[in-house]
Amino acid sequence: MAIAMTRTLQLLLITTLVHVAHGKIRVQITNLIGYNDDMNITCRSSDDNLGQHVLSYGQSMEWKFKPNFAKTTLFYCNAKWCADAMLKIDFNAYEYMKDHYGCGSDCQWLFTIDGVYTYDSKNDSWDFRFSWYS
């Protein structure tokens, strides 16, 4: 019994290590706010600062990474654009405990005039997340 339990734990550890070692995540953020509206966005984690990007209409930024072994990977961003007033949103672009089972390995964000959407690959649909005006 103890040998079988040890074998099971070893297999579980190996499976986890292989998943973490090979599991690259892609996050993509796209600006579809308006033809003349640039969006400024800055994203970072506790380990990486991705810098500030200016996305014109139709442009995207993306990055790839491997989640950390502790399953605490978090990338947070702030996005802003100027309509009649400066509008700003702070959001978690990737949070392991939420997105590992949500978007999986391909997390897509779509910024529109109405608000922000994320892609749900399981249902092949865009889900409304929040409004610029909240």
Side-chain angles (χ1 to χ4, degrees):
M1 174 86 167
I3 294 172
M5 180 63 86
T6 302
R7 277 284 212 216
T8 302
L9 290 174
Q10 286 173 340
L11 287 172
L12 181 60
L13 178 60
I14 290 169
T15 303
T16 302
L17 290 173
V18 167
H19 173 74
V20 170
H22 296 292
K24 277 219 169 189
I25 307 296
R26 180 180 81 110
V27 176
Q28 181 182 49
I29 299 172
T30 302
N31 173 12
L32 289 180
I33 295 171
Y35 288 110
N36 296 318
D37 296 315
D38 289 342
M39 179 177 74
N40 293 298
I41 187 159
T42 304
C43 297
R44 66 184 57 86
S45 72
S46 60
D47 298 322
D48 299 299
N49 184 342
L50 303 177
Q52 181 176 353
H53 298 265
V54 178
L55 302 179
S56 298
Y57 181 82
Q59 287 186 321
S60 299
M61 71 172 283
E62 72 174 58
W63 66 96
K64 294 179 182 179
F65 62 94
K66 291 182 183 178
N68 64 29
F69 186 74
K71 301 179 181 177
T72 57
T73 302
L74 170 67
F75 277 91
Y76 55 96
C77 302
N78 58 56
K80 58 186 175 182
W81 69 286
C82 189
D84 295 331
M86 182 61 70
L87 300 173
K88 182 179 177 184
I89 293 178
D90 296 318
F91 66 101
N92 292 340
Y94 181 86
E95 183 177 2
Y96 183 90
M97 296 309 283
K98 174 180 62 76
D99 294 317
H100 177 70
Y101 300 104
C103 61
S105 63
D106 189 26
C107 300
Q108 298 180 51
W109 292 82
L110 186 63
F111 284 71
T112 72
I113 192 78
D114 300 322
V116 181
Y117 296 80
T118 56
Y119 185 68
D120 178 353
S121 60
K122 293 174 187 141
N123 296 312
D124 193 27
S125 64
W126 289 94
D127 297 334
F128 186 78
R129 293 291 296 268
F130 42 81
S131 170
W132 288 100
Y133 305 101
S134 305

